[in-house]
Amino acid sequence: LLADLFSPVYHDLMKKNFFDVNLLYPVNFLGLIELLVIVSLIEGSYPAFDLSSFQAASALRKGISASSVKLTLQSILIVLQFTISISLIIFTIVISNQLSFIKNKDLGFDKENIIYLSLEDEFSRKQSELVKDRLLTVPGVLSATASSDVPTSGFTSNGYFPEGYSTPVMINVLDADQDFLAAYGIELIEGRNFSREFATDKEAYIINESLAKNIGWNEPLGKEISRSGEHKVIGVIRDFNFASLHEEISPLITTNKPWRDQFSYISLKVKSLNYTELLANIENVWNDITQSAPFEYYFLDETFDRVYKAESNFMKIFFYFSSLAIIIAALGLFSLSSLAAERKTKEIGIRKVLGASVISITNMMTKKYISMVLIANLIAWPMAYYLAVKWLSDYAFKFELNFIPFLLAAAAALIIALISVGYRSIKAASVNPVKSIRYE
């Protein structure tokens, strides 16, 4: 039933069908009944064989029951179930924290309120300056820039010869106009930006901090980098994450001369409370300029989020697994506490007659199960820590792992255990002691 219930959720996350089987089809339904019978027989065979191994005289003297034989195995299974549940909860919190870190990290550029358009036809690629100027007339468009790419999942790289190097160095490259840094809020820390006033800027380069550091340039301004000619460095920008946070920030060259003099994207910094109207106005201007070119637009922040879609789905899957695991563990704990309450009915009645309070009896019945959950934590923590560290090692930029996820998981497990056991314990402790003592 749970598999059928969660099948749409699985399909939504994984884009695959969990199964295409009708469980109510007679053959399948009979198969489920058969499975139920087999599992019940296997489950019941352990106490049956265990009891049959006792000597009859010993069994009569000690008064062995099936419940006492199963108790140790059940306790082990409860600890195992809570170990799995706590591990899953910890890992879910770790993934959630990492996604929150990614969402809130300062990337070195502004990804909010940026719409970028794909230049698919030759006219818009060659006339990007005209397209920019016309789009700037749309109310709500604050600035516009043309570039060979946008900072989401990385730029292409080529071999370059920095001054003083005899062998090529692989460096990422971005072709952008003079408005790119301002539109994306990228900080220029040395030198100057590209300018229309300098015709030589078409051959000039702006580099990032990582490039200057990696090739050992303490004073990069005025240095030259060779590739199909000599290119002078006129500026240095602060590092920004133009690739996934799985990767370290790589060396980057920004040029003012695109390949074949054609840019691939136009990015618009916008300010609008009504994106529907804004996009409609942008599309009207676009169609007026390009005539037949397709209008393909994207929100940069949404594109950025899609880069980490797999992690988001991963977290959701772990959340569902954690929920199912903790429900199963709680049901097992509730069953075990109910069994214990049945076995201790007379003992509880005698304790109440002798003056024991409901609180003291409840405490007596719950402390064993709380200790089981604490043992599960001791087992789960090292395992979950190892898996979390291993998973986070795939990220160059990650949140600092601390004990908060572990403490939250422990608190959640303890609360669930208290709820599962507490209700049955309080109910047993509240029964009239006369009825408890007469209980058979």
Side-chain angles (χ1 to χ4, degrees):
L1 290 175
L2 284 174
D4 192 52
L5 179 65
F6 281 96
S7 182
V9 177
Y10 181 86
H11 180 269
D12 182 57
L13 291 175
M14 307 300 293
K15 306 305 178 188
K16 296 178 181 178
N17 288 328
F18 187 67
F19 51 53
D20 295 313
V21 179
N22 183 0
L23 295 178
L24 297 180
Y25 189 70
V27 174
N28 297 328
F29 187 75
L30 288 174
L32 291 176
I33 298 298
E34 183 181 0
L35 179 64
L36 176 64
V37 172
I38 292 172
V39 171
S40 300
L41 288 173
I42 294 172
E43 192 275 340
S45 65
Y46 172 76
F49 282 113
D50 207 13
L51 283 172
S52 65
S53 65
F54 284 96
Q55 295 294 327
S58 175
L60 289 171
R61 284 198 303 268
K62 296 181 179 179
I64 296 168
S65 66
S67 60
S68 64
V69 173
K70 294 169 62 179
L71 193 58
T72 302
L73 178 62
Q74 288 173 327
S75 300
I76 293 172
L77 290 175
I78 293 297
V79 171
L80 177 61
Q81 287 174 337
F82 268 94
T83 299
I84 296 171
S85 302
I86 292 165
S87 300
L88 289 171
I89 293 171
I90 291 171
F91 208 70
T92 303
I93 296 172
V94 168
I95 299 172
S96 176
N97 286 349
Q98 178 62 14
L99 289 176
S100 178
F101 172 84
I102 290 170
K103 185 175 182 180
N104 297 306
K105 184 186 181 299
D106 180 8
L107 301 173
F109 70 93
D110 186 8
K111 71 178 188 297
E112 304 298 329
N113 300 316
I114 288 184
I115 299 171
Y116 64 96
L117 312 175
S118 179
L119 305 179
E120 298 292 341
D121 66 308
E122 188 176 358
F123 173 81
S124 60
R125 285 175 175 266
K126 288 186 175 180
Q127 301 295 326
S128 58
E129 195 69 25
L130 170 64
V131 176
K132 275 177 51 183
D133 291 341
R134 289 291 302 277
L135 289 173
L136 282 170
T137 63
V138 176
V141 175
L142 303 178
S143 60
T145 180
S147 61
S148 61
D149 214 329
V150 292
T152 52
S153 55
F155 301 145
T156 186
S157 61
N158 294 313
Y160 294 84
F161 290 86
E163 187 176 309
Y165 280 72
S166 58
T167 56
V169 178
M170 293 302 294
I171 304 173
N172 293 278
V173 60
L174 170 70
D175 306 321
D177 64 15
Q178 63 281 348
D179 299 313
F180 186 84
L181 299 186
Y184 277 89
I186 298 171
E187 184 181 355
L188 183 70
I189 57 176
E190 285 188 64
R192 63 177 180 83
N193 190 11
F194 299 122
S195 172
R196 294 185 180 90
E197 298 177 4
F198 298 94
T200 55
D201 279 4
K202 286 295 180 183
E203 302 298 328
Y205 285 169
I206 294 175
I207 67 173
N208 69 348
E209 292 176 291
S210 289
L211 176 53
K213 181 180 178 181
N214 283 15
I215 60 179
W217 283 357
N218 295 322
E219 297 180 359
L221 296 181
K223 298 280 189 180
E224 292 187 339
I225 300 175
S226 299
R227 180 179 169 84
S228 302
E230 301 295 325
H231 306 273
K232 184 176 291 187
V233 176
I234 63 170
V236 180
I237 56 174
R238 191 170 299 284
D239 282 342
F240 67 96
N241 293 96
F242 55 84
S244 164
L245 294 181
H246 289 278
E247 306 171 24
E248 295 281 359
I249 297 177
S250 304
L252 174 68
I253 287 173
T254 304
T255 84
N256 193 223
K257 186 178 181 180
W259 187 59
R260 293 182 177 178
D261 292 323
Q262 296 181 17
F263 289 112
S264 300
Y265 297 94
I266 286 181
S267 302
L268 306 175
K269 183 71 174 179
V270 300
K271 181 181 180 180
S272 176
L273 298 177
N274 188 345
Y275 280 106
T276 302
E277 181 181 353
L278 174 64
L279 289 170
N281 292 335
I282 292 173
E283 184 176 10
N284 289 335
V285 173
W286 175 271
N287 292 334
D288 185 50
I289 302 170
T290 62
Q291 300 298 324
S292 60
F295 178 64
E296 296 187 6
Y297 71 91
Y298 310 89
F299 287 91
L300 185 64
D301 55 351
E302 292 180 357
T303 302
F304 183 82
D305 290 340
R306 280 196 294 273
V307 173
Y308 305 98
K309 184 68 174 177
E311 284 89 341
S312 179
N313 286 344
F314 197 42
M315 183 195 70
K316 291 176 183 177
I317 289 170
F318 263 84
F319 172 77
Y320 288 119
F321 272 119
S322 302
S323 302
L324 288 172
I326 204 73
I327 288 171
I328 292 170
L331 287 172
L333 200 58
F334 179 81
S335 301
L336 198 57
S337 62
S338 297
L339 175 64
E342 290 291 326
R343 295 178 62 214
K344 292 178 178 291
T345 300
K346 286 189 176 182
E347 179 186 340
I348 292 170
I350 293 170
R351 286 179 179 271
K352 289 195 70 175
V353 169
L354 296 176
S357 65
V358 172
I359 295 176
S360 65
I361 294 173
T362 302
N363 180 60
M364 175 197 72
M365 295 185 64
T366 58
K367 62 182 180 180
K368 173 186 175 181
Y369 305 107
I370 298 303
S371 65
M372 290 166 59
V373 176
L374 292 176
I375 291 170
N377 273 282
L378 292 176
I379 299 172
W381 282 19
M383 181 171 60
Y385 179 80
Y386 171 78
L387 292 174
V389 169
K390 189 173 180 63
W391 184 76
L392 288 171
S393 66
D394 288 337
Y395 289 88
F397 299 88
K398 50 185 174 286
F399 82 102
E400 186 176 350
L401 185 61
N402 51 41
F403 280 102
I404 293 178
F406 301 86
L407 295 175
L408 289 175
L414 285 171
I415 290 171
I416 291 168
L418 284 171
I419 293 172
S420 303
V421 177
Y423 166 77
R424 191 63 185 87
S425 301
I426 293 172
K427 183 179 179 182
S430 302
V431 174
N432 189 317
V434 175
K435 291 182 179 180
S436 298
I437 294 171
R438 288 178 178 175
Y439 178 80
E440 292 294 340

